[in-house]
Amino acid sequence: MVAAAFANGFDAPFFDEATRLRRISRLNTLARLMDTALRVPGTNIRFGADAVIGLVPGVGDAGAALVGLYIVNEARRLGLPKRKLARMIANLGLDAAVGAVPVAGDLFDVYFKSHKRNIQIILDHFDLARGDLKDVTPRR
């Protein structure tokens, strides 16, 4: 019985609404850091750590892809279906593959924003808006 549930994708633990919102909010913060943390002065062009660490040849895009895989794994733990997880991995694969090209890849990283796209897939799955994620972390 347990093996059948695991094979059907019902292995995700149950999270109450507040816990799920906190987890998604944390992922959203990470995606913002990776994709849109900084703005080019005088423009609306935003970029993040993904574009900056992508400048390091070889390891930069691999490191950004590992952060993206963390987001995908958290989405799996939240219970997203395999079809949506595959779409998230495709976003990361495209970002890593094109990002590996020396100059054009760095420009692509500024405009593609795979982490934010993946967060939007999670938000759409749970029928949430980005505004729903504000101030959900309890104060210490």
Side-chain angles (χ1 to χ4, degrees), residues 79-98:
L80 264 70
K82 292 177 183 177
R83 179 179 52 85
K84 291 183 181 182
L85 294 174
R87 189 166 151 213
M88 292 172 73
I89 290 173
N91 284 339
L92 285 177
L94 180 64
D95 187 25
V98 177

Side-chain angles (χ1 to χ4, degrees), residues 68-88:
L69 286 175
Y70 170 75
I71 294 173
V72 172
N73 186 46
E74 285 295 308
R76 180 193 61 80
R77 293 184 67 207
L78 287 168
L80 264 70
K82 292 177 183 177
R83 179 179 52 85
K84 291 183 181 182
L85 294 174
R87 189 166 151 213
M88 292 172 73

Side-chain angles (χ1 to χ4, degrees), residues 20-39:
R20 185 175 62 198
L21 285 175
R22 272 195 308 276
R23 292 172 76 102
I24 295 172
S25 179
R26 189 174 60 239
L27 294 175
N28 186 51
T29 301
L30 179 61
R32 188 179 93 54
L33 174 71
M34 292 299 290
D35 287 338
T36 60
L38 303 170
R39 185 176 56 88

Side-chain angles (χ1 to χ4, degrees), residues 5-138:
F6 181 78
N8 290 328
F10 295 111
D11 60 334
F14 174 76
F15 296 113
D16 64 348
E17 184 70 20
T19 302
R20 185 175 62 198
L21 285 175
R22 272 195 308 276
R23 292 172 76 102
I24 295 172
S25 179
R26 189 174 60 239
L27 294 175
N28 186 51
T29 301
L30 179 61
R32 188 179 93 54
L33 174 71
M34 292 299 290
D35 287 338
T36 60
L38 303 170
R39 185 176 56 88
V40 176
T43 67
N44 285 330
I45 299 173
R46 298 190 70 85
F47 64 96
D50 187 4
V52 174
I53 65 174
L55 294 172
V56 178
V59 295
D61 290 306
L66 286 175
V67 172
L69 286 175
Y70 170 75
I71 294 173
V72 172
N73 186 46
E74 285 295 308
R76 180 193 61 80
R77 293 184 67 207
L78 287 168
L80 264 70
K82 292 177 183 177
R83 179 179 52 85
K84 291 183 181 182
L85 294 174
R87 189 166 151 213
M88 292 172 73
I89 290 173
N91 284 339
L92 285 177
L94 180 64
D95 187 25
V98 177
V101 177
V103 175
D106 298 322
L107 292 174
F108 181 77
D109 280 340
V110 170
Y111 291 104
F112 186 64
K113 300 180 185 357
S114 65
H115 302 91
K116 295 293 265 189
R117 289 174 188 258
N118 288 345
I119 293 298
Q120 191 60 49
I121 291 171
I122 295 170
L123 292 175
D124 289 344
H125 176 75
F126 292 110
D127 199 25
L128 296 170
R130 289 194 195 270
D132 297 337
L133 301 178
K134 295 184 189 228
D135 296 329
V136 294
T137 305

